[in-house]
Amino acid sequence: MGEEVYFFKLDKQKAREELTKKITAPGDFSYHNYLREEYGGNHNSMVYDEICYRIHQDIELLSEDELFSLFFWFEDNNYRKNKDLGWKEQAQIVYDEMLACGMDFFYEIPSKTPVRNFHSVMVDFGFIADQDFGYKAEARQYMDFLDYLLCYTGELKLLLNKHYYKDYEEYSEEIRVIMNYIKENAKHDYHKHALAEFEQEEAYHLETLSLTPKLSQFRKERMNESYTLPEELVETYHRESELLNKAHVWDIGLMLKEKLEGYEGSVFKLHSY
């Protein structure tokens, strides 16, 4: 498994009623058997009776490892029973069954590069706002963070549009959305912090973009060939990749903000390495 992040909203009442039924049902692929096989029985921190008790009391009392064990069990259990289905159909079954049991798996960051860039921006905001975004955080904290993230990565996208993609004639729909978002939020403290962070890095990014034409020309000349970058272009390649990948975190922030709009509960983040 690669590095991934999974986001959940938890429904206490549904979990108390439906998840309890699900994990206490007997069978070859029961949750109890899964814990014994995967975690070594009752001598591990994964103790079946304690997990059942916490779900009955309040599913939000589960530790990150315990919630992970439930998530992986749903996946393993359903994939075993539905081997003949495609992976999209299998994933939909897992999602539907967890949702019915009070585990709303509402978003996923599926690979290492976007995960690390997302967390990089999150760490920066955490220092500024003195907020901890670990396993559990409140939706209002996430909304503040996402506003910061969208302003910061939006500024990066505008910079790229002007100096890298050079879309002078007509802005794309995405660029118009970014410009409107930044304008609408310009007076908020999180935007001021995001802008300060961007301005601190801007000279470095502009230098990076001034180096990329040589890299682009090298790629163009070898468009239909396999190649190894010459040593003098390796650093430019890494700097270009870092900038492009961090700017693309805008898309993650926009989707998360949409998923959390109007939600007032806790958000649970499972980080798989």
Side-chain angles (χ1 to χ4, degrees), residues 77-96:
N77 193 20
N78 280 280
Y79 292 163
R80 288 190 192 188
K81 292 189 296 185
N82 298 289
K83 292 179 180 179
D84 294 335
L85 298 179
W87 70 268
K88 287 186 177 180
E89 294 170 293
Q90 291 175 338
Q92 188 62 48
I93 291 171
V94 173
Y95 170 80
D96 290 340

Side-chain angles (χ1 to χ4, degrees), residues 193-205:
H193 289 303
L195 184 59
E197 183 70 19
F198 167 77
E199 288 177 344
Q200 185 177 342
E201 302 171 351
E202 186 176 13
Y204 178 79
H205 293 323

